[in-house]
Amino acid sequence: MNYLVAVLRDRIEAESAYSDLERKGIPLSQMSILGRGYKSADEFGLLDPYDSAWKQIRLMATWLIPFGFGAGVIFSIISGLQTFAWAGEWGNHAVGGVLGAIAASMGSIFVGGGAGIILSGDVVPYRNRINAGKYLLVVQGTAQLVRESTTVLRKYTPETLQGYEERG
């Protein structure tokens, strides 16, 4: 499935472009307007990368932190390190466990979705444009349908006109 996303200035321009696409024979079922009064980003399926990343981070932390604590204690016991003389033998093992839990929490952030928060791709800019009062016109279909839609939408000089190919 191919997608074409056009960011248009206002509702009138979005509706006009939608009507032009309809006149050119683009099926209504393959076009969507996103913005105030139309579909929201969530209704269309633009997932919020922040929500999904934090969900994955919490899921990984639930499992990794206890295992990290245990691994830190076991490492401390095996290695026999006495990092803090004042803490005693069991205190040092507890410190090793806490350090293992900290390392595990960092792992859950970096591997679990922290990169998704930082490198969220095009989804966040599209959401920001909708929140700023702009409209997105999305056409989905074959490569030929997207090419035909591109020629129609170019005359509206959209802020951006971006094509995507869904990878299975």
Side-chain angles (χ1 to χ4, degrees), residues 29-47:
S29 62
Q30 295 183 282
M31 295 187 293
S32 299
I33 297 178
L34 282 68
R36 193 172 302 120
Y38 291 96
K39 285 185 180 178
S40 70
D42 293 328
E43 289 171 337
F44 181 74
L46 287 179
L47 297 176

mmCIF file of all heavy atoms in Angstrom, residues 29-47:
data_model
loop_
_atom_site.group_PDB
_atom_site.id
_atom_site.type_symbol
_atom_site.label_atom_id
_atom_site.label_comp_id
_atom_site.label_asym_id
_atom_site.label_seq_id
_atom_site.Cartn_x
_atom_site.Cartn_y
_atom_site.Cartn_z
ATOM 1 N N SER A 29 -13.146 6.197 -0.718
ATOM 2 C CA SER A 29 -12.703 5.281 0.343
ATOM 3 C C SER A 29 -11.193 5.285 0.513
ATOM 4 O O SER A 29 -10.681 4.787 1.511
ATOM 5 C CB SER A 29 -13.178 3.862 0.032
ATOM 6 O OG SER A 29 -12.597 3.410 -1.176
ATOM 7 N N GLN A 30 -10.467 5.858 -0.449
ATOM 8 C CA GLN A 30 -9.014 5.868 -0.383
ATOM 9 C C GLN A 30 -8.451 7.252 -0.069
ATOM 10 O O GLN A 30 -7.244 7.460 -0.180
ATOM 11 C CB GLN A 30 -8.437 5.319 -1.676
ATOM 12 C CG GLN A 30 -8.806 3.850 -1.853
ATOM 13 C CD GLN A 30 -8.194 3.251 -3.081
ATOM 14 O OE1 GLN A 30 -8.676 3.472 -4.180
ATOM 15 N NE2 GLN A 30 -7.148 2.493 -2.877
ATOM 16 N N MET A 31 -9.332 8.173 0.326
ATOM 17 C CA MET A 31 -8.893 9.516 0.688
ATOM 18 C C MET A 31 -9.388 9.844 2.084
ATOM 19 O O MET A 31 -10.484 9.425 2.476
ATOM 20 C CB MET A 31 -9.461 10.558 -0.278
ATOM 21 C CG MET A 31 -8.976 10.444 -1.689
ATOM 22 S SD MET A 31 -9.517 11.826 -2.710
ATOM 23 C CE MET A 31 -11.272 11.568 -2.790
ATOM 24 N N SER A 32 -8.584 10.592 2.816
ATOM 25 C CA SER A 32 -8.975 11.034 4.160
ATOM 26 C C SER A 32 -8.447 12.434 4.401
ATOM 27 O O SER A 32 -7.329 12.765 3.998
ATOM 28 C CB SER A 32 -8.392 10.113 5.231
ATOM 29 O OG SER A 32 -8.862 8.806 5.082
ATOM 30 N N ILE A 33 -9.272 13.225 5.070
ATOM 31 C CA ILE A 33 -8.827 14.540 5.537
ATOM 32 C C ILE A 33 -8.642 14.432 7.036
ATOM 33 O O ILE A 33 -9.519 13.949 7.745
ATOM 34 C CB ILE A 33 -9.844 15.649 5.195
ATOM 35 C CG1 ILE A 33 -10.000 15.799 3.682
ATOM 36 C CG2 ILE A 33 -9.400 16.978 5.813
ATOM 37 C CD1 ILE A 33 -11.012 16.843 3.259
ATOM 38 N N LEU A 34 -7.495 14.876 7.506
ATOM 39 C CA LEU A 34 -7.201 14.881 8.933
ATOM 40 C C LEU A 34 -7.089 16.328 9.384
ATOM 41 O O LEU A 34 -6.398 17.131 8.756
ATOM 42 C CB LEU A 34 -5.884 14.171 9.236
ATOM 43 C CG LEU A 34 -5.880 12.654 9.236
ATOM 44 C CD1 LEU A 34 -6.110 12.103 7.855
ATOM 45 C CD2 LEU A 34 -4.591 12.140 9.791
ATOM 46 N N GLY A 35 -7.772 16.659 10.445
ATOM 47 C CA GLY A 35 -7.731 18.019 10.971
ATOM 48 C C GLY A 35 -9.003 18.309 11.735
ATOM 49 O O GLY A 35 -9.878 17.448 11.885
ATOM 50 N N ARG A 36 -9.136 19.533 12.210
ATOM 51 C CA ARG A 36 -10.296 19.940 12.996
ATOM 52 C C ARG A 36 -11.577 19.764 12.183
ATOM 53 O O ARG A 36 -11.699 20.253 11.072
ATOM 54 C CB ARG A 36 -10.136 21.397 13.414
ATOM 55 C CG ARG A 36 -11.109 21.822 14.480
ATOM 56 C CD ARG A 36 -10.819 23.218 15.027
ATOM 57 N NE ARG A 36 -9.474 23.299 15.586
ATOM 58 C CZ ARG A 36 -8.543 24.151 15.140
ATOM 59 N NH1 ARG A 36 -8.792 24.978 14.162
ATOM 60 N NH2 ARG A 36 -7.358 24.169 15.714
ATOM 61 N N GLY A 37 -12.521 19.013 12.725
ATOM 62 C CA GLY A 37 -13.783 18.764 12.044
ATOM 63 C C GLY A 37 -13.773 17.503 11.200
ATOM 64 O O GLY A 37 -14.799 17.097 10.672
ATOM 65 N N TYR A 38 -12.613 16.903 11.039
ATOM 66 C CA TYR A 38 -12.476 15.666 10.272
ATOM 67 C C TYR A 38 -11.832 14.619 11.173
ATOM 68 O O TYR A 38 -11.878 14.729 12.390
ATOM 69 C CB TYR A 38 -11.635 15.899 9.010
ATOM 70 C CG TYR A 38 -12.347 16.756 7.993
ATOM 71 C CD1 TYR A 38 -12.113 18.122 7.921
ATOM 72 C CD2 TYR A 38 -13.258 16.201 7.122
ATOM 73 C CE1 TYR A 38 -12.769 18.911 6.990
ATOM 74 C CE2 TYR A 38 -13.933 16.981 6.196
ATOM 75 C CZ TYR A 38 -13.681 18.333 6.134
ATOM 76 O OH TYR A 38 -14.342 19.112 5.225
ATOM 77 N N LYS A 39 -11.218 13.633 10.579
ATOM 78 C CA LYS A 39 -10.552 12.590 11.366
ATOM 79 C C LYS A 39 -9.391 13.172 12.159
ATOM 80 O O LYS A 39 -8.697 14.085 11.694
ATOM 81 C CB LYS A 39 -9.993 11.491 10.450
ATOM 82 C CG LYS A 39 -11.010 10.556 9.889
ATOM 83 C CD LYS A 39 -10.299 9.453 9.105
ATOM 84 C CE LYS A 39 -11.299 8.491 8.524
ATOM 85 N NZ LYS A 39 -10.635 7.447 7.727
ATOM 86 N N SER A 40 -9.195 12.614 13.340
ATOM 87 C CA SER A 40 -8.015 12.987 14.117
ATOM 88 C C SER A 40 -6.870 12.062 13.720
ATOM 89 O O SER A 40 -7.078 11.055 13.030
ATOM 90 C CB SER A 40 -8.296 12.853 15.615
ATOM 91 O OG SER A 40 -8.420 11.491 15.966
ATOM 92 N N ALA A 41 -5.676 12.385 14.164
ATOM 93 C CA ALA A 41 -4.515 11.540 13.864
ATOM 94 C C ALA A 41 -4.700 10.145 14.447
ATOM 95 O O ALA A 41 -4.338 9.150 13.828
ATOM 96 C CB ALA A 41 -3.251 12.186 14.406
ATOM 97 N N ASP A 42 -5.308 10.064 15.638
ATOM 98 C CA ASP A 42 -5.535 8.759 16.267
ATOM 99 C C ASP A 42 -6.576 7.947 15.505
ATOM 100 O O ASP A 42 -6.425 6.742 15.336
ATOM 101 C CB ASP A 42 -5.971 8.940 17.717
ATOM 102 C CG ASP A 42 -4.862 9.515 18.580
ATOM 103 O OD1 ASP A 42 -3.684 9.220 18.302
ATOM 104 O OD2 ASP A 42 -5.179 10.270 19.524
ATOM 105 N N GLU A 43 -7.638 8.603 15.063
ATOM 106 C CA GLU A 43 -8.676 7.899 14.311
ATOM 107 C C GLU A 43 -8.134 7.347 12.992
ATOM 108 O O GLU A 43 -8.520 6.263 12.566
ATOM 109 C CB GLU A 43 -9.855 8.833 14.017
ATOM 110 C CG GLU A 43 -10.676 9.178 15.222
ATOM 111 C CD GLU A 43 -11.700 10.274 14.929
ATOM 112 O OE1 GLU A 43 -11.518 11.055 13.969
ATOM 113 O OE2 GLU A 43 -12.678 10.346 15.671
ATOM 114 N N PHE A 44 -7.229 8.106 12.374
ATOM 115 C CA PHE A 44 -6.651 7.640 11.113
ATOM 116 C C PHE A 44 -5.655 6.519 11.339
ATOM 117 O O PHE A 44 -5.481 5.653 10.501
ATOM 118 C CB PHE A 44 -5.978 8.793 10.371
ATOM 119 C CG PHE A 44 -5.398 8.379 9.057
ATOM 120 C CD1 PHE A 44 -6.220 8.127 7.972
ATOM 121 C CD2 PHE A 44 -4.030 8.209 8.904
ATOM 122 C CE1 PHE A 44 -5.684 7.723 6.756
ATOM 123 C CE2 PHE A 44 -3.498 7.808 7.699
ATOM 124 C CZ PHE A 44 -4.324 7.564 6.619
ATOM 125 N N GLY A 45 -4.988 6.545 12.483
ATOM 126 C CA GLY A 45 -4.015 5.494 12.775
ATOM 127 C C GLY A 45 -2.590 5.987 12.863
ATOM 128 O O GLY A 45 -1.665 5.185 12.848
ATOM 129 N N LEU A 46 -2.399 7.316 12.951
ATOM 130 C CA LEU A 46 -1.056 7.830 13.201
ATOM 131 C C LEU A 46 -0.771 7.626 14.685
ATOM 132 O O LEU A 46 -1.241 8.381 15.522
ATOM 133 C CB LEU A 46 -0.954 9.324 12.869
ATOM 134 C CG LEU A 46 -0.947 9.727 11.415
ATOM 135 C CD1 LEU A 46 -0.863 11.244 11.298
ATOM 136 C CD2 LEU A 46 0.207 9.086 10.681
ATOM 137 N N LEU A 47 -0.048 6.595 14.999
ATOM 138 C CA LEU A 47 0.230 6.282 16.398
ATOM 139 C C LEU A 47 1.145 7.335 16.992
ATOM 140 O O LEU A 47 2.062 7.820 16.333
ATOM 141 C CB LEU A 47 0.890 4.906 16.510
ATOM 142 C CG LEU A 47 0.046 3.738 16.031
ATOM 143 C CD1 LEU A 47 0.855 2.455 16.113
ATOM 144 C CD2 LEU A 47 -1.216 3.607 16.840
#
